[in-house]
Amino acid sequence: MKKTFKIIFAAFIVFAGMLASNQVMATDGYFSCGYGTQSKGMGGVGIAWYKNSLINGNPAGLVSLGKQYSISVGLFNPNREYTVTGNPSMMPGTFGLLPGTVKSDSKMFVIPSIGANWMLNDKSSFSIALFGNGGMNTDYPPTTFPDGSKMGTFGSNGDTGVNLMQMFLGVSYSRNIAKNHSLGITGLIAYQMFEAKGLGAFAPFSSAPDKLTDNGMDKATGFGFKLGYMGKLAKGLTLGASYQTMLYMSEFDDYAGLFAEQGDFNIPSTWTIGLAYEINEDWAVMADFKRINYTDVASVSNPMDPMAFATAPLGTDDGAGFGWEDINILKFGMEYSGIKDWTLRTGYSHAEQPIQSSEVLFNILAPGVIEDHVSFGFSKNIGDSGKAVHVAFCYALPASVKGYNPMDYEFDTNTGMPIGHNQTVKLEMNQLEIDIAFTF
């Protein structure tokens, strides 16, 4: 036991370093479609399926999982681009963009996770897990936003984009409260890092231009918790539910002139409810309904209104954010274990669109427009050793949002007055993820 603990602890340190050095874009907005390889193989479903509980699943299911260790590595390939149609007006007071299609670099990332669950007795368990949420990441050329110092000049001194990375440590306690019914609680410690580059053009609209962009990587820590319930309603039918509080984070002081509320960037609350039905010993189907409350966080949900910059510049309580709305997500999955030592999985997930057409300009930096995922996966038991290898493939179908550039206008040649928007911006994204895990 002591040797195993040392191995797990060393793996935690290594994986923490890997998480801190990778930058990705998740896809239920900026949350991952699923956590843990088995769950990802079914489109992220499994709040009522104890087998999917170890990596940020339902803490109530851990007491049914038994002693288990898990190590996984995911290869993540997000493809993001934007297209600007229409020439900029180049008129004073406007913010036109260079026409054309621009793709974000940085397309391959490694995402690890690790977890361990121990039974305290036959009615309770203790678990610890380290995992990444991903975040928002873009890496565009310097021509993305116009240079505010000279009208008609495009470019900055370096690349343009943002990088948000989030890492979580979850410590869980799960207990049976009655036959076939359990509760669980997870204490969450969060660590996030953020950097913005090439946003100097927004300096006239910031409450603190020196804390707007190109200040290197800033760091924030915070905490929250998750509650879970799991119980059998009838033979083969299990109900699961969980609620995760908003995670209260320290502020990004170096970017207090960008994010609303002086650099505040809390992590929004979520809740999930779902059912799992074991049709027979070989087949199981399940469905989840998930809600992500992006409007908990002003820096994420405040809309961009160019007319309000004079009274609510970037960084103030009412300053512009990304304009993301709360979203509902439906997830469906199926598992088949009728082949000796093999388990096959497939799933589908559909999310509402968090980004509205009116918010495309700022979301060039964070084009989390994905709505649909399809996935499949499998597990292979290694004899009777209790060890298994798990693989998942998750593809996010191409999605897009198109809207007007709210800061550039078409002008009447006679009166010189604006008569309509001059440019459109289209955000596009798709991605592929391959995840491999080993449990023992």
Side-chain angles (χ1 to χ4, degrees), residues 62-64 117-126 173-176 183:
L62 293 165
V63 70
S64 300
N117 189 60
W118 297 274
M119 297 303 297
L120 300 176
N121 51 53
D122 60 353
K123 291 186 177 181
S124 62
S125 70
F126 171 79
Y173 175 76
S174 180
R175 184 175 182 84
N176 285 322
L183 295 176

Side-chain angles (χ1 to χ4, degrees), residues 77-99:
N77 169 225
N79 300 291
R80 299 139 295 166
E81 65 181 60
Y82 70 90
T83 300
V84 177
T85 304
N87 291 317
S89 67
M90 312 299 284
M91 296 292 288
T94 62
F95 193 91
L97 304 177
L98 192 67

Side-chain angles (χ1 to χ4, degrees), residues 25-26 33 48 51 109 189 250 290 301 400 402 423 429 437:
M25 168 66 83
C33 174
K51 297 178 183 180
F109 309 98
I189 299 174
S250 57
K290 183 176 183 178
S301 63
S400 65
K402 185 177 181 180
Q423 294 185 308
M429 182 179 177

Side-chain angles (χ1 to χ4, degrees), residues 308-331:
F309 279 142
T311 56
L314 293 169
T316 61
D317 289 355
D318 296 322
F322 295 94
W324 284 24
E325 297 186 342
D326 298 340
I327 61 172
N328 299 319
I329 307 163
L330 289 173
K331 298 177 181 290

Side-chain angles (χ1 to χ4, degrees), residues 33 40 43 373-376 392-396 431-435:
C33 174
K40 288 180 181 179
H373 296 80
V374 292
S375 64
F376 67 93
F393 301 88
C394 186
Y395 179 61
Q431 71 182 29
L432 175 66
E433 185 174 2
I434 302 173
D435 212 72

Side-chain angles (χ1 to χ4, degrees), residues 56 131 168-171 186-190 222-226 244 247:
N56 197 33
F131 56 94
F168 299 87
L169 176 65
V171 179
T186 299
L188 288 164
I189 299 174
F223 65 92
F225 64 89
K226 177 189 284 190
Q244 181 174 301
L247 273 65

